[in-house]
Amino acid sequence: MSPDGIPQERIPVEVHADAAAGCATLARAIAELVRSRQAAGKPCVLGLATGSTPVPLYRELIRLHREEGLSFAHVTTFNLDEYHGLPEGHPQSYRVFMHEQFFRHVDFQPGANHLPDVSGPRDAIHGACLAYERAIREAGGIDLQVLGIGRTGHIGFNEPGSAPDSRTRLVTLDRLTRSDAARDFLGETNVPRHAVTMGVGTILEARRIVLLAWGHRKASVVARAVEEPPTDALPASLLQRHGDVRFVVDGAAAVELTRVRRPWLSGASVAWTPRTLRRAVCWLALRARRPVLKLLDEHYAEGGLADLLTQAGPAYDLNIRVFNEVQHTITGWPGGKPGADDRVRPERALPHPRRVLVLSPEPADCITGMGGTIERLVAQGHAVTVAALTSGNLAVSDEEAALAAGLVIDIAETLGEDGAEAWLGRRIQHLLTLRHERYDDSPEVRRMKGMIRRNEFRAALRQAGVAPSCVRFLQLPFYENGRYRQFRPGDADVDAVVALLAELAPHSVFVTGRGVDPASVAGSTWSVVARALERSPAPPDGPRSVWLYAASDHAWEPGEADMVVPLSPGELARRSEAIYQVRSQRSQTPLPAGAESAEPWKAAHDRDCALAGGYDALGLAEYAALEGFVRLAPDDPA
Ligand code: GLP
C-alpha cells in the first residue's frame, strides 16, 4: 500500500494484447540470452515450466529455431517439477509433456534437459532432490526461470504454506490443484497426490524470473501476488523478494490489477469512457453501501473520484445518468420487445420474431451461462438454435462411460440380440479396463462419452423448451482430434462456424469465452468464433447483435453488463434442475464436510444471485437472479 492506502504493484507487470504477443516478447529475450551466451562461449541455463501457459512460448521458440536458426545446442534446461507415482511414459508426466511440446522439436544435446527424478522408490526421493539441486548448481545456476501460476498461487508445485527458503522436495498437492488437473487425467481420481518440485528458495536463486499468466481465471491471484504483502499463503507473492522478476500477462489476467479494475485509484489520470464511468459509479455505490441515487459529492471525493466529479458532476447528475443507464440494462425481452419504444432498451424491437443462435463451447455451457434467457427466447417465439461447438467427450469420466456401455449390453441382451450393439458395449468396457496401460481414450470410448454429453444436453435443453431438432452438434476438429492444453484451432474450425452462420443467418448470436484461458475449450472456441464472426456478414434482413454470456468461472460486475435478464425464483430453480441433468459434469468425488460446493448448478446460481444482489444494492429492482450479458460491438477487441 502507498501512504494513501492505494495498492502499489510490487512486481513489474507487462500487459500484452494476448498470450501470443506476450510469448513473442519473451521468446525474443530468451533468444538474445541464448545467442549472447553462445557468443561469449558460456553455458546458458533455462528453468522451464509446464501447464498450458508456456505452450505458446515453446511454439514461438520452435518457430525461432526453424525459421531464424536459433540453436539450443549450448542450452541446459531444468524443469520446475514432476508428478510422483506416474508410470514412465505416462502422457501427463511432465517429461513427456516437455518432450512433445518443446524438446524434440529443437536441437538440444542429449542429456541437456533435466526434470526432477521421481523414478526411484519413495525413500530415494530425498536423495534425488538433493542431486537435482546439486545439478543446478554445477550447471552454473539458472539464468532465466519461466513460471506459470496455479489458482492457489502456487509456483511449480509450491502450494500455499511453502516457505521462502524451501528446496526441491516431495509435496502433497492441494485439492484445487488436483481438481484443476482432473481433465488432463480423465477424472480427478486419476490425478497423482504427490509431486516433486523445486522449492521457492531454489526458484528465487535464478538470476532472472518471468511469470506468465493468461485469462481471467488467473486475474485475482495475479493481482494478489503483485499488490499484497508477500506471504507463504500465496507462494507467488514471495517472488517480490527477487530483484529481477516480472509478470507477463494478457489483458484478461490483468483485469484485477487496481490500475485496470479501478484506474481512478491508481493515481494516473483516467480517460473516462461511458463504460468506465458507469463502472466507477457502481463501484462507488457498492463501496459506500449506498444506492446510486443517494451518493453525495463527498462520497465521490472520498472514493478517489474527485476528478470525475469535476469533469461530469455534480453527484446529482452523475447519479441520475448512471442509475438510468443501469436501469436500462434490465429486460425480460432478450430478443427485443415487439411494439415497444426501443431507444433505451438493450435490444432492438425488430425484427420479431428473430433468428437466434446460441453457441456453447461444450454442451451445457450455455445452460449454466444463460439457461433462463434461452427459455425466454423460446417462449417469446424466436427461432432459437443452440449449437454445441465441441462434443465435450474429454470431460466425461470412465465411470460414466462404463455405465453407458453396461446399459448398451443389457439392452441388446434384453432384446435377444447379441449383435453389433452388445459387441460395442463389451469393447468399450474392455478398453476402459486398459486405463493402466492406455491413458488416452480410444475413438470408440470418446464416441461413447460424446453420446453421453449429447443426451444430457438434449435433456437439459428440453427443460428450457428447446426441441431436439433445434440442437446442433458441430464437433469442431481442433477438439475432436486434440488433447487438453494442446488444442490448436485452425481454419477448418473457423470454416465450420462460418458455414453455420451462413446457413442460419442469425439476428442474435450469443457467445462466451472472451478473456478465458486461451488454452481452455471455451478460450479455443472463442478464438474460432471471433474469427468466424469477422468473416460473416450480418443477415440480409436486419442487423446482427452479438452478446457475450458469462463463462463458467466468470461473473460480470453490476456496472459491466449491458443487458441483464431477470429470473424469477421458479425460473432459477428450473435452470438449476436443467444443469443438474448434466450428470457427467457434477463433482466426481464427494466434497469434504464444510467445503464450498463446486457443483456447476450451484456456481451458476451463486453467480447470478450475486449479480441480482448488486442491482438491489445499487437501488434498482430486487430480483432472485440476473443473467448478465456484455454487448460485443464491432469495435470491441477480440
Ligand atoms: C501446474 C504446474 C505449474 C503451473 C500450473 C498452472 O500446477 N505444476 O507449474 O503453473 O499447473 O497450469 P496452467 O498453466 O495450465 O494454468
Side-chain angles (χ1 to χ4, degrees):
M1 290 278 176
S2 70
D4 49 5
I6 298 167
Q8 298 292 304
E9 289 174 22
R10 300 151 184 255
I11 293 177
V13 184
E14 267 176 34
V15 184
H16 291 265
D18 53 26
C23 287
T25 311
L26 178 56
R28 262 195 309 277
I30 292 178
E32 248 165 58
L33 175 73
V34 170
R35 287 191 175 119
S36 68
R37 284 305 171 104
Q38 195 181 346
K42 290 188 186 155
C44 178
V45 183
L46 298 178
L48 300 179
T50 48
S52 51
T53 305
V55 168
L57 171 68
Y58 299 144
R59 288 183 185 161
E60 179 61 10
L61 289 172
I62 295 166
R63 192 191 68 76
L64 291 178
H65 169 71
R66 289 190 182 146
E67 296 175 16
E68 297 179 18
L70 176 64
S71 169
F72 292 88
H74 300 277
V75 178
T76 306
T77 66
F78 287 90
N79 259 81
L80 282 168
D81 46 11
E82 177 61 287
Y83 286 114
H84 179 256
L86 291 181
E88 216 191 307
H90 192 291
Q92 292 306 329
S93 75
Y94 287 164
R95 182 172 293 281
V96 171
F97 180 92
M98 288 306 298
H99 184 72
E100 281 182 2
Q101 297 297 323
F102 186 29
F103 299 156
R104 77 181 172 91
H105 304 281
V106 299
D107 59 343
F108 283 112
Q109 295 291 323
N113 305 122
H114 305 266
L115 281 98
D117 177 11
V118 288
S119 60
R122 196 149 162 181
D123 53 7
I125 295 283
H126 180 62
C129 292
L130 292 177
Y132 201 61
E133 294 268 342
R134 209 165 39 242
I136 295 174
R137 272 197 308 277
E138 282 166 5
I142 291 170
D143 292 308
L144 189 152
Q145 175 68 55
V146 177
L147 296 176
I149 183 168
R151 274 201 299 157
T152 59
H154 70 230
I155 44 178
F157 270 131
N158 291 284
E159 298 285 20
S162 299
D165 56 358
S166 50
R167 314 299 313 184
T168 302
R169 68 203 185 286
L170 184 72
V171 291
T172 302
L173 301 182
D174 198 270
R175 199 173 64 83
L176 186 59
T177 302
R178 292 187 66 239
S179 106
D180 279 350
R183 289 185 153 207
D184 302 329
F185 285 87
L186 303 170
E188 195 172 321
T189 44
N190 304 325
V191 182
R193 292 180 183 275
H194 299 100
V196 171
T197 181
M198 279 186 199
V200 178
T202 326
I203 293 170
L204 287 173
E205 274 168 15
R207 285 184 271 283
R208 201 162 137 199
I209 302 177
V210 181
L211 183 145
L212 305 174
W214 325 124
H216 51 222
R217 207 164 62 102
K218 301 283 174 73
S220 103
V221 84
V222 163
R224 287 173 52 215
V226 166
E227 293 184 353
E228 290 179 9
T231 162
D232 297 8
L234 193 85
S237 69
L238 299 172
L239 296 171
Q240 292 175 21
R241 300 176 180 213
H242 197 277
D244 190 354
V245 56
R246 65 181 50 241
F247 280 20
V248 171
V249 306
D250 65 0
V255 292
E256 294 289 341
L257 294 173
T258 304
R259 71 166 134 136
V260 179
R261 181 90 138 174
R262 316 280 174 227
W264 51 91
L265 290 180
S266 69
S269 81
V270 180
W272 290 103
T273 62
R275 231 179 237 280
T276 334
L277 189 150
R278 192 169 83 195
R279 284 178 65 171
V281 175
C282 292
W283 165 82
L284 182 68
L286 296 174
R287 175 181 180 270
R289 296 176 189 278
R290 288 189 152 237
V292 171
L293 292 175
K294 285 190 177 170
L295 288 171
L296 302 172
D297 281 6
E298 56 255 41
H299 295 121
Y300 280 85
E302 283 159 19
L305 292 171
D307 171 39
L308 177 63
L309 201 59
T310 318
Q311 283 188 40
Y316 181 84
D317 292 353
L318 277 165
N319 295 353
I320 297 221
R321 169 178 168 177
V322 170
F323 180 85
N324 284 336
E325 271 181 29
V326 180
Q327 174 95 306
H328 294 151
T329 62
I330 307 173
T331 182
W333 297 82
K337 185 172 186 180
D341 176 358
D342 61 6
R343 274 170 302 178
V344 291
R345 291 180 163 274
E347 189 52 282
R348 279 178 237 75
L350 294 173
H352 184 93
R354 55 175 63 205
R355 294 184 296 274
V356 177
L357 175 61
V358 178
L359 295 171
S360 193
E362 289 184 29
D365 286 343
C366 63
I367 306 202
T368 44
M370 54 174 290
T373 303
I374 294 177
E375 190 180 323
R376 243 162 222 255
L377 287 163
V378 173
Q380 289 167 0
H382 301 290
V384 179
T385 304
V386 179
L389 293 164
T390 69
S391 69
N393 59 19
L394 291 168
V396 177
S397 71
D398 289 356
E399 288 75 14
E400 292 290 331
L403 188 74
L407 276 172
V408 170
I409 297 171
D410 277 2
I411 292 168
E413 284 176 1
T414 310
L415 295 175
E417 287 172 12
D418 199 4
E421 296 81 2
W423 180 86
L424 181 68
R426 281 196 205 99
R427 170 137 181 86
I428 286 170
Q429 282 188 335
H430 170 68
L431 288 167
L432 289 169
T433 62
L434 300 181
R435 178 64 75 218
H436 58 286
E437 41 187 85
R438 181 179 178 134
Y439 311 105
D440 280 340
D441 279 338
S442 61
E444 294 97 323
V445 174
R446 281 190 73 164
R447 216 172 311 137
M448 168 72 76
K449 290 184 169 181
M451 286 174 197
I452 292 171
R453 294 213 67 181
R454 236 173 220 257
N455 285 287
E456 285 177 339
F457 191 35
R458 289 200 186 107
L461 281 171
R462 248 195 312 273
Q463 208 108 345
V466 181
S469 57
C470 300
V471 189
R472 298 293 191 91
F473 294 93
L474 249 56
Q475 311 211 24
L476 292 181
F478 86 83
Y479 183 94
E480 304 312 317
N481 306 326
R483 295 220 321 244
Y484 278 119
R485 303 188 199 247
Q486 297 172 28
F487 297 130
R488 279 174 179 256
D491 291 342
D493 303 294
V494 179
D495 291 347
V497 178
V498 168
L500 185 71
L501 288 166
E503 180 198 332
L504 299 173
H507 302 108
S508 294
V509 183
F510 289 86
V511 299
T512 191
R514 185 175 74 173
V516 312
D517 175 357
S520 66
V521 178
S524 305
T525 55
W526 162 253
S527 71
V528 170
V529 170
R531 281 174 63 197
L533 284 169
E534 262 169 36
R535 271 178 48 189
S536 310
D541 55 344
R544 178 175 71 194
S545 315
V546 182
W547 294 103
L548 273 175
Y549 59 93
S552 56
D553 58 354
H554 188 60
W556 310 120
E557 278 186 16
E560 199 179 3
D562 297 313
M563 172 165 80
V564 295
V565 178
L567 303 192
S568 68
E571 286 167 327
L572 180 61
R574 266 204 306 286
R575 189 187 70 177
S576 297
E577 282 160 24
I579 302 170
Y580 200 70
Q581 303 285 333
V582 185
R583 198 187 118 102
S584 70
Q585 300 307 297
R586 291 186 218 151
S587 276
Q588 287 167 27
T589 44
L591 290 173
E596 220 174 279
S597 165
E599 295 294 341
W601 71 266
K602 178 81 166 69
H605 173 281
D606 293 353
R607 179 195 64 209
D608 294 342
C609 291
L611 186 57
Y615 270 62
D616 182 22
L618 293 176
L620 292 130
E622 194 177 341
Y623 294 103
L626 292 171
E627 287 180 347
F629 301 86
V630 166
R631 186 194 310 280
L632 198 67
D635 55 345
D636 257 341

